[in-house]
């Protein structure tokens, strides 16, 4: 394919056709997609295996790439959950009758054409497509080459359902993975209304720096858990273990443990065995290194400057001992990507200070950062976690795939 102009035009035309689709029919389509995901489980797994076979087992992205029976079932359920959500379009936000008789209303409307650039996460293909259909948007999906076979299979299933319901299949399109087409997408402001990059900081930076189309970032997650001196240390150890180990390749996984100096030894004595059993490599500052060395932690390295503010996306994390809450807050302010941050404490004043002062899309007290997720937050699904402050912040889901339109009705009024 020489260029993607035809695909861009197709998306623009498809956005007009889905705009008038009823909420009921959108829900029917989404439930049908869920049915077909389950019906085609074997084919999806076979195509996914082709992608898995091409990826090195040591690559931390491999877990993100995997689709198995359980994950396909979860995708189908997520699709049904989105179908049950209220249609975000056509909601009247305000109404006023002016002295001259004009009736002025503000309503929610679909964005139009949503372009999403992402890496080896085939679940994003389903999440984006279903959210866009529910919100009345057409979508252009540009997945990574790592997941191309899986993405082709998933989009084929979706487009077959759209055809079965006599809808324009170009409501959902998968763009070629050739890098030369990325620049076309980034500069297609005539056809694309919004671009959303989802992936590494390198990808996000490239899109932000080169796009002419408006961009909403779904940022990388450099996530801290701060254990304050009053914390229940057994509870803290379990929170840290879950935040790091439950799924280390995702953006809400823990990257850095911060420990008050007063309880650092006792806390690490509980945390170390949990991390060791899952073979977590720890990069420790000078004080934490001494404690962990005395504990004979097996996978211990002295931290370098670059190990703080680093998104590991693997069984690795950094540890730093701080003198007090003020020092912890300063560290987070310096190194956080403003994604998800947590404090473990029994001091309500310290908790409130942390929740109020930390600048992040999601802040936690006595809970794992792993909960930052559109489905967990009751949003059905998400396109990603936005770390910026305009239009969307935190789980970027159905409610943010709309904009506003002013509707004015008159009876011959002139100005």
């Amino acid at each position: 394919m020489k260029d993607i102009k035809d695909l861009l035009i197709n998306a623009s035309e498809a956005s007009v056709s889905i705009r008038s689709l009823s909420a009921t029919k959108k829900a029917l389509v989404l439930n049908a997609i869920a049915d077909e995901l389950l019906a085609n489980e074997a084919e999806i797994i076979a195509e996914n295996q082709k992608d898995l076979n091409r990826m090195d087992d040591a690559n931390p992205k491999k877990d993100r790439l995997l689709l198995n029976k359980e994950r396909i079932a979860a995708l189908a359920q997520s699709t049904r959950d989105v179908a049950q959500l209220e249609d975000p379009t056509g909601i009247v936000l305000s109404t006023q009758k002016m002295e001259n008789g004009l009736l002025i209303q503000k309503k929610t409307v679909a964005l139009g054409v949503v372009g999403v650039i992402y890496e080896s996460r085939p679940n994003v293909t389903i999440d984006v497509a279903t959210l866009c259909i529910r919100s009345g948007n057409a979508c252009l999906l540009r997945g990574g080459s790592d997941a191309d076979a899986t993405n082709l299979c998933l989009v084929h299933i979706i487009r077959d359902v759209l055809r079965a319901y006599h809808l324009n299949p170009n409501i959902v399109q998968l763009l070629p993975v050739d890098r030369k087409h990325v620049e076309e997408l980034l500069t297609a402001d005539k056809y694309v209304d919004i671009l959303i990059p989802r992936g590494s900081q390198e990808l996000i930076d490239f899109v932000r720096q080169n796009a002419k189309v408006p961009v909403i970032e779904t940022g990388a997650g450099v996530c801290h858990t701060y254990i304050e001196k009053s914390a229940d240390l057994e509870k803290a150890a379990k929170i840290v273990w879950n935040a790091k180990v439950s799924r280390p390749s995702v953006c809400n996984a823990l990257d850095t443990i911060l420990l008050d100096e007063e309880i650092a030894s006792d806390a690490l004595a509980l945390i170390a065995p949990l991390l060791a059993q899952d073979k977590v490599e720890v990069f420790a500052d000078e004080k934490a290194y001494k404690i962990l060395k005395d504990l004979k932690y097996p996978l211990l390295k002295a931290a370098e400057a670059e190990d703080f503010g680093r998104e590991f996306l693997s069984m690795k994390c950094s540890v730093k001992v701080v003198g007090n809450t003020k020092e912890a807050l300063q560290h987070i302010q310096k190194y956080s990507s403003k994604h998800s941050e947590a404090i473990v404490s029994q001091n309500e004043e310290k908790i409130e200070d942390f929740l109020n002062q930390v600048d992040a899309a999601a802040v936690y007290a006595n809970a794992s950062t792993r909960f930052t997720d559109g489905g967990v937050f009751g949003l059905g699904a998400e396109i990603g976690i936005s770390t910026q402050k305009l239009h969307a912040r935190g789980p970027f889901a159905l409610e943010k795939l709309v904009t506003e339109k002013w509707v004015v009705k008159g009876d011959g009024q002139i100005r």
Side-chain angles (χ1 to χ4, degrees):
M1 182 178 289
K2 292 183 179 180
D3 59 49
I4 58 170
K5 187 174 181 180
D6 287 346
L7 301 181
L8 297 172
I9 293 171
N10 290 344
S12 183
E13 292 174 349
S15 71
V16 176
S17 69
I18 194 175
R19 200 178 297 158
S20 58
L21 203 61
S22 71
T24 300
K25 190 160 187 177
K26 291 176 192 174
L28 287 172
V29 169
L30 292 179
N31 282 311
I33 290 171
D35 291 341
E36 289 303 305
L37 288 173
L38 297 176
N40 290 276
E41 175 191 289
E43 181 186 355
I44 295 169
I45 290 174
E47 292 303 306
N48 183 242
Q49 190 61 51
K50 294 177 183 178
D51 292 326
L52 290 168
N53 290 342
R54 293 197 306 270
M55 184 174 283
D56 190 324
D57 287 342
N59 192 326
K61 292 181 180 179
K62 193 152 191 173
D63 177 63
R64 294 182 174 198
L65 176 59
L66 173 67
L67 285 185
N68 53 26
K69 182 175 181 178
E70 292 73 25
R71 291 186 180 182
I72 293 169
L75 284 175
Q77 185 57 53
S78 174
T79 301
R80 296 194 200 283
D81 291 343
V82 172
Q84 293 176 2
L85 294 174
E86 181 183 2
D87 192 318
T89 62
I91 297 171
V92 177
L93 301 174
S94 67
T95 301
Q96 53 184 328
K97 187 72 173 284
M98 311 307 289
E99 289 184 6
N100 62 4
L102 287 178
L103 179 66
I104 300 178
Q105 292 182 318
K106 183 166 66 172
K107 295 183 176 182
T108 57
V109 294
L111 290 167
V113 177
V114 176
V116 182
I117 303 175
Y118 54 107
E119 295 171 333
S120 51
R121 295 286 293 270
N123 64 295
V124 176
T125 302
I126 298 298
D127 290 343
V128 173
T130 55
L131 288 167
C132 282
I133 291 169
R134 190 60 170 135
S135 57
N137 292 289
C139 63
L140 289 165
L141 305 169
R142 198 284 184 179
S145 57
D146 289 341
D148 196 39
T150 313
N151 288 335
L152 283 167
C153 178
L154 295 173
V155 170
H156 180 75
I157 290 168
I158 294 167
R159 287 167 63 89
D160 278 353
V161 171
L162 291 170
R163 289 189 187 94
Y165 278 81
H166 308 291
L167 299 173
N168 188 337
N170 295 324
I171 289 168
V172 178
Q173 293 183 94
L174 182 66
L175 301 182
V177 294
D178 300 17
R179 289 185 175 233
K180 65 181 180 181
H181 298 310
V182 172
E183 187 174 346
E184 287 182 79
L185 179 61
L186 298 182
T187 56
D189 50 329
K190 182 178 178 181
Y191 304 105
V192 182
D193 294 287
I194 199 81
L195 271 177
I196 304 165
R198 178 168 176 174
S200 66
Q201 192 62 53
E202 182 182 6
L203 168 66
I204 293 164
D205 290 343
F206 178 81
V207 171
R208 185 178 62 243
Q209 292 163 12
N210 293 279
K212 290 184 178 179
V213 179
V215 174
I216 297 177
E217 297 178 30
T218 59
V222 178
C223 304
H224 301 77
T225 296
Y226 165 49
I227 303 176
E228 193 265 333
K229 64 183 180 181
S230 71
D232 178 327
L233 297 186
E234 290 190 1
K235 183 186 296 181
K238 291 176 182 177
I239 289 171
V240 164
W241 173 78
N242 175 264
K244 178 68 267 178
V245 170
S246 61
R247 199 169 175 197
S249 66
V250 295
C251 59
N252 57 25
L254 176 146
D255 295 291
T256 299
I257 306 165
L258 299 174
L259 300 147
D260 266 1
E261 189 169 17
E262 191 173 320
I263 48 83
S265 294
D266 290 341
L268 287 173
L270 294 171
I271 292 168
L274 296 177
L275 298 184
Q277 70 185 12
D278 286 289
K279 299 180 180 178
V280 176
E281 187 174 3
V282 173
F283 298 80
D285 77 339
E286 186 176 352
K287 292 179 180 178
Y289 186 91
K290 184 178 184 307
I291 296 168
L292 288 166
K293 188 175 182 181
D294 289 344
L295 291 169
K296 296 181 172 53
Y297 192 81
L299 295 165
L300 179 62
K301 289 188 176 179
E304 303 290 341
E306 60 268 21
D307 293 321
F308 299 106
R310 175 180 170 189
E311 186 182 27
F312 288 96
L313 300 174
S314 62
M315 287 294 193
K316 299 177 182 181
C317 71
S318 56
V319 181
K320 181 176 176 61
V321 176
V322 296
N324 50 44
T325 302
K326 181 180 179 181
E327 191 177 331
L329 290 169
Q330 289 172 340
H331 182 95
I332 292 170
Q333 176 66 24
K334 182 176 180 179
Y335 292 105
S336 172
S337 65
K338 302 183 179 182
H339 189 294
S340 300
E341 305 291 357
I343 182 173
V344 185
S345 173
Q346 296 187 94
N347 185 316
E348 287 300 324
E349 185 178 348
K350 297 288 187 184
I351 288 172
E352 287 306 311
D353 284 346
F354 185 94
L355 298 179
N356 291 329
Q357 292 184 42
V358 170
D359 184 11
V363 288
Y364 291 82
N366 298 316
S368 168
T369 57
R370 284 283 290 110
F371 288 106
T372 306
D373 175 88
V376 173
F377 283 12
L379 304 176
E382 68 183 26
I383 289 180
I385 308 295
S386 172
T387 53
Q388 66 185 51
K389 298 183 181 180
L390 293 180
H391 187 74
R393 196 179 195 200
F396 178 24
L398 191 67
E399 59 178 351
K400 292 297 183 180
L401 283 170
V402 296
T403 185
E404 299 168 356
K405 175 189 283 188
W406 291 93
V407 177
V408 184
K409 296 179 180 179
D411 186 26
Q413 289 92 335
I414 59 174
R415 183 178 182 183

